[in-house]
Each structure stands twice: as C-alpha cells, then as structure tokens.
Amino acid sequence: MISTSHVCASNFPLQIRCHNLTRRGTTAVVSDLPSDNTKPSNSFLAAKRLIATGINTRVNTSRSLLISCNASKRQQNNNAKSASPASSSFVSPSPELSDAIDNSFFRLWLPLAVAAGMLMLFDAAYSGDWSRIGVITKDQEVTLRAFVPVAVGGHAVCCVVAGYISKQRGEVSWLSRSIKALAAGFVGLIEVVLLPEERVDKHRA
C-alpha cells in the first residue's frame, strides 16, 4: 500500500504543485492539483483554512497588544499625576539659599526700603518740589518721569509671577505675597520663590 503526503506552497493564485512521495523507491512523482474549474482537494481546503486561521490569529494578537500598550500608558499617566501634586510643579528651593534670605533684613527692611524708593521716585518725578528746591534739575525730573513706567512694569511682572507661583503651591496667603511683590518688586519675588509659606509660618508661630 502506498501512502501519499502532500507538501504544498502557499503562493496563490499560482497553480500549486504537490510532490507525491512514495515509501517505496526513490522516485518522486510530481503531479499538479486540479485547476480552478475542478473541485479542490481536501488538502487544498485544509491549507486555506490553516492560512486564514494564522492570519486571524496574528490580527487578534496585534489588536490585543495595542490595547494592552494603550492601557499601560494611561495607567502610567494616571499614576504620575496622582503621585505629583500641584506643589511639585516647581522645584523646591535650595536650603542654603533659603537660609541666606531667611532673616529680618531681607524679609522686612529691604522690602520697605524698595517700597520707599518707589514712593520717592513718584514724588521726585511728578511733584516738582525736588527740582524747585534744587535737589534735582528739570532734565533729571524728565528722565525720572520716563523711568517710572519701566519701574512700574517691572513691579507688576514680579507681582504676577509671585502670585502665580504661590497659588500653584497651594499657599493660602498667595494674595498678600503677590501684593508684597508689587511693592517690593524683585525682592518680594525672590522671597516667594525661596521661602515657601510653611517656612514663613514657622517664624510667625
């Protein structure tokens, strides 16, 4: 009895050739499958089903991997958001810099001096008394008037930035700290950046 095994190539729609190998002898007889007009053999149908099953398996596997990757990315994003509060959006100040400005001179007397200098600038530029008594000349008074908008604009920027940083940290006194930055300018902004509210409250207590 002769048993036949078919080894088929998956090169469609080209004609598939199968090798009929016999157990007896060494001669290989090559025969062609029936053409499209004839009924395909069981081996041909089995090969088609096997290829279709492999394609569907690969598609389903790719979809599963894509869904898993998207779910993993969403989980990582959620974990990152929950692990980092709003206060961590700004880098914590260096302890050395905080200690350097954590004194009454920087937190009280220097802001007062800057605020007093702003008042003197307004008075000298617009009152006319300083030029009348000879402290400054008329030309210097005009120069001071041109400098006033620059100084006011700088203090306004410091106020906005200080209020934004303080509010992002969740500080309760963000409004008062921004007003202090408006009066003291860059000095008030530096205080907000380097001295968080918790450290200021410790001194008050």
Side-chain angles (χ1 to χ4, degrees):
M1 180 181 294
I2 299 174
S3 62
T4 304
S5 61
H6 301 280
V7 181
C8 302
S10 59
N11 190 8
F12 295 101
L14 297 177
Q15 187 179 9
I16 303 174
R17 294 184 174 274
C18 299
H19 300 275
N20 300 325
L21 305 177
T22 61
R23 290 181 179 176
R24 297 176 182 178
T26 59
T27 304
V29 181
V30 179
S31 63
D32 293 339
L33 279 178
S35 61
D36 295 340
N37 297 328
T38 60
K39 184 178 180 179
S41 63
N42 292 333
S43 300
F44 178 74
L45 295 177
K48 287 182 67 176
R49 285 195 294 269
L50 182 60
I51 293 173
T53 303
I55 293 175
N56 291 333
T57 302
R58 289 185 179 182
V59 171
N60 293 333
T61 303
S62 300
R63 288 178 180 176
S64 301
L65 290 175
L66 182 60
I67 293 173
S68 301
C69 291
N70 292 335
S72 177
K73 288 181 180 180
R74 286 194 296 267
Q75 185 66 28
Q76 290 177 358
N77 293 334
N78 293 334
N79 293 337
K81 289 180 180 179
S82 60
S84 59
S87 59
S88 63
S89 58
F90 294 94
V91 180
S92 299
S94 173
E96 292 79 8
L97 294 176
S98 299
D99 293 337
I101 67 170
D102 191 10
N103 51 65
S104 59
F105 171 76
F106 194 92
R107 295 178 55 243
L108 178 62
W109 299 112
L110 188 56
L112 286 176
V114 174
M118 285 292 294
L119 293 177
M120 292 172 64
L121 174 63
F122 279 105
D123 186 61
Y126 295 102
S127 66
D129 296 335
W130 292 49
S131 59
R132 185 169 51 253
I133 62 177
V135 177
I136 59 176
T137 63
K138 287 291 183 179
D139 294 336
Q140 291 174 341
E141 184 177 332
V142 173
T143 303
L144 291 177
R145 287 180 183 176
F147 180 72
V148 166
V150 178
V152 172
H155 281 237
V157 171
C158 293
C159 171
V160 173
V161 175
Y164 176 77
I165 294 175
S166 181
K167 195 170 184 179
Q168 287 296 315
R169 285 175 176 169
E171 297 178 351
V172 180
S173 59
W174 66 271
L175 182 59
S176 61
R177 304 196 79 183
S178 61
I179 293 174
K180 184 176 181 180
L182 178 63
F186 189 70
V187 176
L189 176 60
I190 290 298
E191 179 182 340
V192 171
V193 173
L194 298 181
L195 288 179
E197 186 181 43
E198 304 84 31
R199 188 158 182 169
V200 176
D201 291 340
K202 288 181 181 179
H203 291 281
R204 292 176 180 175

